[in-house]
């Protein structure tokens, strides 16, 4: 504490100099002989209170220093408060019905279950997820029934099936007004779609290799579509399917929409001479556009070839075919691959 001295009205603002000198002499002249034997030293060393005549003593508390609490201490105090509140809350359980009249207690409330398993917000997405999960189960059962997997690999293949179906359970498509609108919801369909394609190709290559109906041919010394070649491709796809957990853990495969876009784009480029696209919708639109134009020109070309050709004149249908081919090809080369522009 700090002591502040103010003159009081009793003393009139003056002090008696004689009494003041006596107090000073008493306070300043004491020797060690005045200390009694056995008296504690601390009581001697402590300062004696001085009473001033005509003055009032007022005790004022010291100014306490202000401590700046940093962000970490505030965070720790907030976490401790939350932990205390969580301990105070009662445990909540969810009744999971197994049989009529029989249920199990699951230590989750409704909000915790919603956080664990996401909800699909649209009917079409629910239908597509159920159909895709059913297709995964059917194709997996078909491959297990054919005996492609033995011993421990049966368990590994069942894990792959379970992971594909669980990715569909976690799928969620947010609304446009939702704060999760930027969430990439297509990626959850990549694993089951890849699984279905891989299982279908395994089944097709196995049937083709055992039937031997395809005519093999050689290209640069490599024989394609022989029975041995088809069975080797089937075995490679089986190993590829078993490695799905590691492949998708490291993200070695692109999304389904990217694969569809690249496949349709390459078909349009190598068969119809198309150009690059930027989305699956634009690649599908470009391929359908090229097929429609080719089908339109096919009739004029076939009619010109079948018709009689003179020595001096070219058939009219062939001239129409050449004119349409040039005009439509130029139009396709200058047209945008985005169908929304054409629609607008």
């Amino acid at each position: 504490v700090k002591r502040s001295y103010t003159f009081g009205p009793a003393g009139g603002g003056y002090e008696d100099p004689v009494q003041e000198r006596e107090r000073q002499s008493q306070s300043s002249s004491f020797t060690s002989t005045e200390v009694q034997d056995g008296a504690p030293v601390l009581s001697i060393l402590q300062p004696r209170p001085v009473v001033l005549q005509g003055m009032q003593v007022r005790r004022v508390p010291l100014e306490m220093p202000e401590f700046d609490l940093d962000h970490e201490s505030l965070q720790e105090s907030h976490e401790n408060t939350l932990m205390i509140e969580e301990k105070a809350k009662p445990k909540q359980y969810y009744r999971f019905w197994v049989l009529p009249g029989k249920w199990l207690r699951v230590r989750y409330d409704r909000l915790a279950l919603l956080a664990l398993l996401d909800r699909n917000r649209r009917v079409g997405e629910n239908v597509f997820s159920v159909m895709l999960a059913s297709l995964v189960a059917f194709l997996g059962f078909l491959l297990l029934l054919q005996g492609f997997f033995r011993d421990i690999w049966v368990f590994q293949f069942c894990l792959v099936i379970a992971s594909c179906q669980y990715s569909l359970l976690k799928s969620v498509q947010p609304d446009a007004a939702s704060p999760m609108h930027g969430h990439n919801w297509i990626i959850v369909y990549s694993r089951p779609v890849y699984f279905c394609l891989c299982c279908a190709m395994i089944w097709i290559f196995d049937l083709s290799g055992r039937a031997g109906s395809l005519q093999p041919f050689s290209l640069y010394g490599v024989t394609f579509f022989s029975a041995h070649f088809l069975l080797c491709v089937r075995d490679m796809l089986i190993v590829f399917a078993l490695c799905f957990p590691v492949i998708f853990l490291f993200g070695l495969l692109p999304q389904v929409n990217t694969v569809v876009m690249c496949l349709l784009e390459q078909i349009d480029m190598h068969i119809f001479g198309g150009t690059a696209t930027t989305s699956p919708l634009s690649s599908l639109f470009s391929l359908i556009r090229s097929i429609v134009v080719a089908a339109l020109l096919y009739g004029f070309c076939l009619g010109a070839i079948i018709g009689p050709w003179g020595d001096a004149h070219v058939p009219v249908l062939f001239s129409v075919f050449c004119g349409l081919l040039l005009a439509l090809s130029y139009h396709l080369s200058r047209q945008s691959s985005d169908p929304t522009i054409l629609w607008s």
Side-chain angles (χ1 to χ4, degrees), residues 158-209:
C158 291
L159 286 180
V160 173
I161 297 175
S163 64
C164 295
Q165 292 182 339
Y166 181 73
S167 65
L168 292 174
L169 290 177
K170 289 294 292 182
S171 64
V172 56
Q173 182 176 358
D175 296 333
S178 176
M180 295 178 58
H181 185 59
H183 175 65
N184 188 8
W185 58 273
I186 302 179
I187 195 172
V188 298
Y189 297 105
S190 299
R191 184 177 301 198
V193 170
Y194 276 120
F195 179 82
C196 294
L197 291 176
C198 189
C199 291
M201 292 174 65
I202 289 173
W203 184 65
I204 291 174
F205 280 118
D206 181 70
L207 291 179
S208 301

Side-chain angles (χ1 to χ4, degrees), residues 217-224 229:
F217 66 93
S218 297
L219 182 63
Y220 297 105
V222 180
T223 304
F224 293 93
F229 174 80

Side-chain angles (χ1 to χ4, degrees), residues 198 201-202 205 232-242:
C198 189
M201 292 174 65
I202 289 173
F205 280 118
C232 287
V233 174
R234 180 205 64 184
D235 296 337
M236 292 176 60
L237 290 175
I238 290 175
V239 176
F240 180 75
L242 292 175

Side-chain angles (χ1 to χ4, degrees), residues 239-250:
V239 176
F240 180 75
L242 292 175
C243 296
F244 264 27
V246 179
I247 292 173
F248 284 97
L249 176 63
F250 293 100

